[in-house]
mmCIF file of all heavy atoms in Angstrom:
data_model
loop_
_atom_site.group_PDB
_atom_site.id
_atom_site.type_symbol
_atom_site.label_atom_id
_atom_site.label_comp_id
_atom_site.label_asym_id
_atom_site.label_seq_id
_atom_site.Cartn_x
_atom_site.Cartn_y
_atom_site.Cartn_z
ATOM 1 N N LYS K 242 -15.743 3.747 1.719
ATOM 2 C CA LYS K 242 -14.514 4.102 2.428
ATOM 3 C C LYS K 242 -13.811 5.266 1.742
ATOM 4 O O LYS K 242 -13.265 6.159 2.390
ATOM 5 C CB LYS K 242 -13.584 2.890 2.482
ATOM 6 C CG LYS K 242 -12.261 3.146 3.219
ATOM 7 C CD LYS K 242 -11.426 1.875 3.264
ATOM 8 C CE LYS K 242 -10.137 2.102 4.047
ATOM 9 N NZ LYS K 242 -9.236 3.089 3.404
ATOM 10 N N ASP K 243 -13.820 5.264 0.413
ATOM 11 C CA ASP K 243 -13.214 6.326 -0.386
ATOM 12 C C ASP K 243 -14.226 6.814 -1.412
ATOM 13 O O ASP K 243 -15.171 6.091 -1.766
ATOM 14 C CB ASP K 243 -11.955 5.822 -1.114
ATOM 15 C CG ASP K 243 -10.879 5.349 -0.144
ATOM 16 O OD1 ASP K 243 -10.600 6.083 0.817
ATOM 17 O OD2 ASP K 243 -10.344 4.240 -0.361
ATOM 18 N N SER K 244 -14.003 8.026 -1.918
ATOM 19 C CA SER K 244 -14.921 8.558 -2.923
ATOM 20 C C SER K 244 -14.794 7.817 -4.245
ATOM 21 O O SER K 244 -15.718 7.797 -5.056
ATOM 22 C CB SER K 244 -14.669 10.057 -3.131
ATOM 23 O OG SER K 244 -13.327 10.309 -3.534
ATOM 24 N N SER K 245 -13.653 7.183 -4.499
ATOM 25 C CA SER K 245 -13.427 6.299 -5.649
ATOM 26 C C SER K 245 -12.052 5.675 -5.476
ATOM 27 O O SER K 245 -11.392 5.882 -4.444
ATOM 28 C CB SER K 245 -13.509 7.069 -6.972
ATOM 29 O OG SER K 245 -12.323 7.816 -7.210
ATOM 30 N N ASN K 246 -11.605 4.959 -6.479
ATOM 31 C CA ASN K 246 -10.245 4.409 -6.456
ATOM 32 C C ASN K 246 -9.426 4.933 -7.637
ATOM 33 O O ASN K 246 -8.541 4.240 -8.147
ATOM 34 C CB ASN K 246 -10.275 2.877 -6.469
ATOM 35 C CG ASN K 246 -10.996 2.326 -7.694
ATOM 36 O OD1 ASN K 246 -11.532 3.076 -8.511
ATOM 37 N ND2 ASN K 246 -11.021 1.005 -7.834
ATOM 38 N N LEU K 247 -9.748 6.146 -8.083
ATOM 39 C CA LEU K 247 -9.052 6.738 -9.222
ATOM 40 C C LEU K 247 -7.576 6.983 -8.938
ATOM 41 O O LEU K 247 -6.749 6.947 -9.854
ATOM 42 C CB LEU K 247 -9.721 8.055 -9.622
ATOM 43 C CG LEU K 247 -11.086 7.958 -10.307
ATOM 44 C CD1 LEU K 247 -11.637 9.353 -10.584
ATOM 45 C CD2 LEU K 247 -11.001 7.151 -11.598
ATOM 46 N N LEU K 248 -7.248 7.253 -7.671
ATOM 47 C CA LEU K 248 -5.863 7.513 -7.290
ATOM 48 C C LEU K 248 -5.397 6.367 -6.393
ATOM 49 O O LEU K 248 -5.599 6.412 -5.176
ATOM 50 C CB LEU K 248 -5.749 8.860 -6.550
ATOM 51 C CG LEU K 248 -6.290 10.078 -7.303
ATOM 52 C CD1 LEU K 248 -6.206 11.320 -6.408
ATOM 53 C CD2 LEU K 248 -5.531 10.299 -8.596
ATOM 54 N N PRO K 249 -4.803 5.336 -6.965
ATOM 55 C CA PRO K 249 -4.429 4.149 -6.184
ATOM 56 C C PRO K 249 -3.619 4.491 -4.938
ATOM 57 O O PRO K 249 -2.642 5.231 -4.994
ATOM 58 C CB PRO K 249 -3.578 3.345 -7.178
ATOM 59 C CG PRO K 249 -4.084 3.758 -8.519
ATOM 60 C CD PRO K 249 -4.424 5.218 -8.379
ATOM 61 N N GLY K 250 -4.071 3.977 -3.817
ATOM 62 C CA GLY K 250 -3.402 4.242 -2.552
ATOM 63 C C GLY K 250 -3.860 5.510 -1.869
ATOM 64 O O GLY K 250 -3.561 5.730 -0.696
ATOM 65 N N HIS K 251 -4.587 6.365 -2.608
ATOM 66 C CA HIS K 251 -5.042 7.645 -2.058
ATOM 67 C C HIS K 251 -6.563 7.787 -2.089
ATOM 68 O O HIS K 251 -7.098 8.770 -1.581
ATOM 69 C CB HIS K 251 -4.425 8.809 -2.835
ATOM 70 C CG HIS K 251 -2.947 8.920 -2.685
ATOM 71 N ND1 HIS K 251 -2.344 9.700 -1.722
ATOM 72 C CD2 HIS K 251 -1.938 8.341 -3.373
ATOM 73 C CE1 HIS K 251 -1.020 9.597 -1.834
ATOM 74 N NE2 HIS K 251 -0.756 8.778 -2.826
ATOM 75 N N GLY K 252 -7.250 6.853 -2.703
ATOM 76 C CA GLY K 252 -8.694 6.976 -2.822
ATOM 77 C C GLY K 252 -9.081 7.727 -4.070
ATOM 78 O O GLY K 252 -8.576 7.473 -5.160
ATOM 79 N N GLY K 253 -9.977 8.702 -3.908
ATOM 80 C CA GLY K 253 -10.455 9.475 -5.041
ATOM 81 C C GLY K 253 -9.988 10.911 -5.009
ATOM 82 O O GLY K 253 -9.300 11.347 -4.082
ATOM 83 N N VAL K 254 -10.386 11.652 -6.044
ATOM 84 C CA VAL K 254 -10.019 13.065 -6.130
ATOM 85 C C VAL K 254 -10.625 13.846 -4.970
ATOM 86 O O VAL K 254 -9.963 14.669 -4.333
ATOM 87 C CB VAL K 254 -10.465 13.655 -7.480
ATOM 88 C CG1 VAL K 254 -10.247 15.161 -7.512
ATOM 89 C CG2 VAL K 254 -9.694 12.999 -8.634
ATOM 90 N N LEU K 255 -11.900 13.591 -4.674
ATOM 91 C CA LEU K 255 -12.544 14.301 -3.565
ATOM 92 C C LEU K 255 -11.892 13.983 -2.228
ATOM 93 O O LEU K 255 -11.879 14.827 -1.318
ATOM 94 C CB LEU K 255 -14.039 13.976 -3.504
ATOM 95 C CG LEU K 255 -14.943 14.696 -4.511
ATOM 96 C CD1 LEU K 255 -16.384 14.244 -4.352
ATOM 97 C CD2 LEU K 255 -14.835 16.212 -4.368
ATOM 98 N N ASP K 256 -11.342 12.779 -2.090
ATOM 99 C CA ASP K 256 -10.628 12.445 -0.859
ATOM 100 C C ASP K 256 -9.395 13.323 -0.683
ATOM 101 O O ASP K 256 -8.967 13.591 0.437
ATOM 102 C CB ASP K 256 -10.190 10.973 -0.881
ATOM 103 C CG ASP K 256 -11.360 10.028 -0.827
ATOM 104 O OD1 ASP K 256 -12.331 10.329 -0.118
ATOM 105 O OD2 ASP K 256 -11.315 8.984 -1.506
ATOM 106 N N ARG K 257 -8.805 13.744 -1.790
ATOM 107 C CA ARG K 257 -7.604 14.588 -1.741
ATOM 108 C C ARG K 257 -7.938 16.066 -1.635
ATOM 109 O O ARG K 257 -7.120 16.852 -1.138
ATOM 110 C CB ARG K 257 -6.744 14.361 -2.995
ATOM 111 C CG ARG K 257 -6.186 12.950 -3.172
ATOM 112 C CD ARG K 257 -5.296 12.561 -2.010
ATOM 113 N NE ARG K 257 -6.017 11.833 -0.971
ATOM 114 C CZ ARG K 257 -5.675 11.778 0.288
ATOM 115 N NH1 ARG K 257 -4.605 12.428 0.719
ATOM 116 N NH2 ARG K 257 -6.384 11.096 1.159
ATOM 117 N N ILE K 258 -9.127 16.475 -2.104
ATOM 118 C CA ILE K 258 -9.435 17.915 -2.133
ATOM 119 C C ILE K 258 -10.596 18.282 -1.221
ATOM 120 O O ILE K 258 -11.040 19.437 -1.229
ATOM 121 C CB ILE K 258 -9.744 18.395 -3.567
ATOM 122 C CG1 ILE K 258 -11.075 17.806 -4.064
ATOM 123 C CG2 ILE K 258 -8.613 18.047 -4.529
ATOM 124 C CD1 ILE K 258 -11.604 18.457 -5.319
ATOM 125 N N ASP K 259 -11.097 17.329 -0.414
ATOM 126 C CA ASP K 259 -12.280 17.622 0.400
ATOM 127 C C ASP K 259 -12.102 18.867 1.263
ATOM 128 O O ASP K 259 -13.005 19.707 1.362
ATOM 129 C CB ASP K 259 -12.661 16.420 1.257
ATOM 130 C CG ASP K 259 -11.502 15.860 2.078
ATOM 131 O OD1 ASP K 259 -10.402 16.446 2.054
ATOM 132 O OD2 ASP K 259 -11.690 14.825 2.749
ATOM 133 N N ALA K 260 -10.930 19.018 1.870
ATOM 134 C CA ALA K 260 -10.680 20.186 2.717
ATOM 135 C C ALA K 260 -10.495 21.455 1.890
ATOM 136 O O ALA K 260 -10.667 22.567 2.406
ATOM 137 C CB ALA K 260 -9.453 19.949 3.590
ATOM 138 N N LEU K 261 -10.139 21.290 0.620
ATOM 139 C CA LEU K 261 -9.902 22.452 -0.241
ATOM 140 C C LEU K 261 -11.185 23.033 -0.826
ATOM 141 O O LEU K 261 -11.218 24.200 -1.205
ATOM 142 C CB LEU K 261 -8.978 22.063 -1.401
ATOM 143 C CG LEU K 261 -7.554 21.655 -1.039
ATOM 144 C CD1 LEU K 261 -6.855 21.056 -2.257
ATOM 145 C CD2 LEU K 261 -6.767 22.851 -0.518
ATOM 146 N N VAL K 262 -12.235 22.224 -0.905
ATOM 147 C CA VAL K 262 -13.461 22.665 -1.576
ATOM 148 C C VAL K 262 -14.028 23.945 -0.953
ATOM 149 O O VAL K 262 -14.419 24.867 -1.674
ATOM 150 C CB VAL K 262 -14.507 21.532 -1.612
ATOM 151 C CG1 VAL K 262 -15.801 22.010 -2.253
ATOM 152 C CG2 VAL K 262 -13.964 20.337 -2.395
ATOM 153 N N PRO K 263 -14.088 24.080 0.381
ATOM 154 C CA PRO K 263 -14.539 25.355 0.941
ATOM 155 C C PRO K 263 -13.430 26.396 1.080
ATOM 156 O O PRO K 263 -13.717 27.594 1.114
ATOM 157 C CB PRO K 263 -15.081 24.958 2.322
ATOM 158 C CG PRO K 263 -14.287 23.760 2.698
ATOM 159 C CD PRO K 263 -13.977 23.034 1.427
ATOM 160 N N VAL K 264 -12.184 25.960 1.168
ATOM 161 C CA VAL K 264 -11.091 26.903 1.446
ATOM 162 C C VAL K 264 -10.710 27.723 0.220
ATOM 163 O O VAL K 264 -10.504 28.941 0.306
ATOM 164 C CB VAL K 264 -9.849 26.155 1.979
ATOM 165 C CG1 VAL K 264 -8.651 27.087 2.069
ATOM 166 C CG2 VAL K 264 -10.142 25.555 3.344
ATOM 167 N N LEU K 265 -10.590 27.072 -0.930
ATOM 168 C CA LEU K 265 -10.106 27.774 -2.120
ATOM 169 C C LEU K 265 -11.034 28.921 -2.553
ATOM 170 O O LEU K 265 -10.546 29.998 -2.912
ATOM 171 C CB LEU K 265 -9.906 26.781 -3.258
ATOM 172 C CG LEU K 265 -8.747 25.797 -3.050
ATOM 173 C CD1 LEU K 265 -8.661 24.803 -4.207
ATOM 174 C CD2 LEU K 265 -7.436 26.525 -2.915
ATOM 175 N N PRO K 266 -12.372 28.743 -2.554
ATOM 176 C CA PRO K 266 -13.211 29.900 -2.880
ATOM 177 C C PRO K 266 -13.041 31.061 -1.905
ATOM 178 O O PRO K 266 -13.052 32.220 -2.313
ATOM 179 C CB PRO K 266 -14.638 29.314 -2.805
ATOM 180 C CG PRO K 266 -14.456 27.861 -3.090
ATOM 181 C CD PRO K 266 -13.155 27.505 -2.425
ATOM 182 N N LEU K 267 -12.899 30.746 -0.618
ATOM 183 C CA LEU K 267 -12.668 31.796 0.372
ATOM 184 C C LEU K 267 -11.365 32.524 0.074
ATOM 185 O O LEU K 267 -11.299 33.765 0.093
ATOM 186 C CB LEU K 267 -12.631 31.187 1.769
ATOM 187 C CG LEU K 267 -12.319 32.120 2.938
ATOM 188 C CD1 LEU K 267 -13.356 33.233 3.032
ATOM 189 C CD2 LEU K 267 -12.236 31.341 4.247
ATOM 190 N N ALA K 268 -10.310 31.771 -0.235
ATOM 191 C CA ALA K 268 -9.015 32.373 -0.562
ATOM 192 C C ALA K 268 -9.118 33.212 -1.846
ATOM 193 O O ALA K 268 -8.473 34.265 -1.945
ATOM 194 C CB ALA K 268 -7.956 31.289 -0.719
ATOM 195 N N ALA K 269 -9.882 32.730 -2.822
ATOM 196 C CA ALA K 269 -10.015 33.470 -4.078
ATOM 197 C C ALA K 269 -10.718 34.807 -3.862
ATOM 198 O O ALA K 269 -10.352 35.823 -4.462
ATOM 199 C CB ALA K 269 -10.767 32.627 -5.105
ATOM 200 N N LEU K 270 -11.758 34.795 -3.012
ATOM 201 C CA LEU K 270 -12.460 36.060 -2.736
ATOM 202 C C LEU K 270 -11.531 37.060 -2.038
ATOM 203 O O LEU K 270 -11.514 38.248 -2.368
ATOM 204 C CB LEU K 270 -13.673 35.803 -1.854
ATOM 205 C CG LEU K 270 -14.902 35.179 -2.542
ATOM 206 C CD1 LEU K 270 -16.027 35.030 -1.536
ATOM 207 C CD2 LEU K 270 -15.362 36.038 -3.715
ATOM 208 N N ILE K 271 -10.763 36.574 -1.083
ATOM 209 C CA ILE K 271 -9.827 37.442 -0.386
ATOM 210 C C ILE K 271 -8.712 37.875 -1.337
ATOM 211 O O ILE K 271 -8.321 39.046 -1.378
ATOM 212 C CB ILE K 271 -9.236 36.726 0.837
ATOM 213 C CG1 ILE K 271 -10.342 36.428 1.852
ATOM 214 C CG2 ILE K 271 -8.133 37.564 1.498
ATOM 215 C CD1 ILE K 271 -9.912 35.509 2.981
ATOM 216 N N GLY K 272 -8.216 36.933 -2.136
ATOM 217 C CA GLY K 272 -7.135 37.246 -3.066
ATOM 218 C C GLY K 272 -7.519 38.267 -4.115
ATOM 219 O O GLY K 272 -6.663 39.034 -4.591
ATOM 220 N N ALA K 273 -8.794 38.319 -4.483
ATOM 221 C CA ALA K 273 -9.245 39.288 -5.491
ATOM 222 C C ALA K 273 -9.141 40.714 -4.992
ATOM 223 O O ALA K 273 -9.152 41.660 -5.785
ATOM 224 C CB ALA K 273 -10.690 38.991 -5.887
#
Side-chain angles (χ1 to χ4, degrees):
K242 181 178 182 296
D243 299 313
S244 58
S245 77
N246 59 357
L247 288 178
L248 304 176
H251 294 268
V254 173
L255 282 179
D256 293 323
R257 297 300 94 205
I258 69 167
D259 52 4
L261 295 169
V262 177
V264 171
L265 291 177
L267 177 60
L270 284 182
I271 296 170

